[in-house]
């Protein structure tokens, strides 16, 4: 029983063919394609308004050079939110519970921000490794610490997203199992447990959106340091 709780995180396959590609491609099918017409339907209008508000909020602290990332960050935000939300449906698979996928997003984007900083302003980018006014004996130690913290950033991005979603899904499955076990023996306790399960599901909906926002927000902060 203990091992079966983790079966939901195994990548599904059919006839030996991994289906994770379908799970990744599904979010783009759900969104309507924007039209070039002046008047659109309500769904496209709301979608465009939300994307514009999010992009304006995200690009606010960045200078003009960082605005080139607006399309990439907005698309990544929509992609992560949609995948996280679809993973809360029954009998579905959440690709963002896989650390390999999250690291595949985090490492290239983090590395791109570092390369941009080294190319555009190498002095400022290297200056982050050594705070101003550091005593001379502490300079080697601080450089090593700041370098380690720099390389930990993509790992923190991927692990944060994976751990939060994995913990939430495990907790939901544990409480749901408890409800089915308690229902024949103690119906009152089972109903109370089901209420807790419902509230936890609402919390996980919020976590799914917040974690996607935090992932993109931290990337924008890393970009802000290097543009």
């Amino acid at each position: 029983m203990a091992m079966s709780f983790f079966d939901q995180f195994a990548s599904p396959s059919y006839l030996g063919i991994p289906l994770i590609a379908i799970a990744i491609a599904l979010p783009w099918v759900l969104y309507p394609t924007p039209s070039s017409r002046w008047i659109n339907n309500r769904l496209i209008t709301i979608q465009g308004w939300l994307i514009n508000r999010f992009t304006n909020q995200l690009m606010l602290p960045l200078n003009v050079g960082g605005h080139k990332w607006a399309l990439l960050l907005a698309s990544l935000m929509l992609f992560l939110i949609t995948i996280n939300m679809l993973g809360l449906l029954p009998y579905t698979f959440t690709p963002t519970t896989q650390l390999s996928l999250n690291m595949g997003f985090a490492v290239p984007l983090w590395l791109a921000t570092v390369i941009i900083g080294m190319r555009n302003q190498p002095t400022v980018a290297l200056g982050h490794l050594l705070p101003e006014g550091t005593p001379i004996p502490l300079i080697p130690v601080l450089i090593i610490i700041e370098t380690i913290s720099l390389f930990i950033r993509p790992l923190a991005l991927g692990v944060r997203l994976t751990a939060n979603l994995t913990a939430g899904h495990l907790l939901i499955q544990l409480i749901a199992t408890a409800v089915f076990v308690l229902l024949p023996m103690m119906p009152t306790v089972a109903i109370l447990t089901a209420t807790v399960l419902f509230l936890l599901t609402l919390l996980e909906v919020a976590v799914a959106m917040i974690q996607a926002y935090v992932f993109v927000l931290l990337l924008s902060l890393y970009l802000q340091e290097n543009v």
Side-chain angles (χ1 to χ4, degrees), residues 10-14 16-30 79 83 86 93-96 98 100-101 105:
S11 180
S13 60
Y14 182 72
I17 302 174
L19 301 180
I20 188 172
I22 299 178
I24 293 176
L26 185 60
W28 305 117
V29 181
L30 300 179
F79 178 75
I83 281 187
L86 289 176
F93 171 68
T94 312
T96 44
Q98 305 293 312
S100 57
L101 177 68
F105 284 127

Side-chain angles (χ1 to χ4, degrees), residues 18-71:
L19 301 180
I20 188 172
I22 299 178
I24 293 176
L26 185 60
W28 305 117
V29 181
L30 300 179
Y31 286 97
T33 303
S35 161
S36 58
R37 295 180 299 177
W38 283 53
I39 300 178
N40 294 311
N41 58 40
R42 292 182 179 88
L43 183 59
I44 295 180
T45 302
I46 294 176
Q47 172 185 310
W49 180 81
L50 289 175
I51 293 175
N52 288 335
R53 293 295 301 172
F54 165 73
T55 306
N56 291 336
Q57 186 69 26
L58 197 63
M59 296 292 111
L60 194 59
L62 298 178
N63 57 23
V64 179
H67 292 179
K68 300 175 184 177
W69 286 60
L71 179 61

Side-chain angles (χ1 to χ4, degrees), residues 88 171 197-210:
L88 294 174
L171 196 55
L197 177 63
F198 175 74
L199 296 176
L200 179 63
T201 304
L202 295 181
L203 178 62
E204 282 303 310
V205 171
V207 168
M209 294 186 289
I210 290 172

Side-chain angles (χ1 to χ4, degrees), residues 126-150:
L126 294 175
H128 291 304
L129 301 179
L130 184 63
E132 187 177 356
T134 304
I136 295 178
L138 295 179
I139 287 179
V141 178
L142 279 179
I143 290 178
I144 294 174
I145 293 175
E146 292 295 332
T147 304
I148 293 175
S149 67
L150 178 65

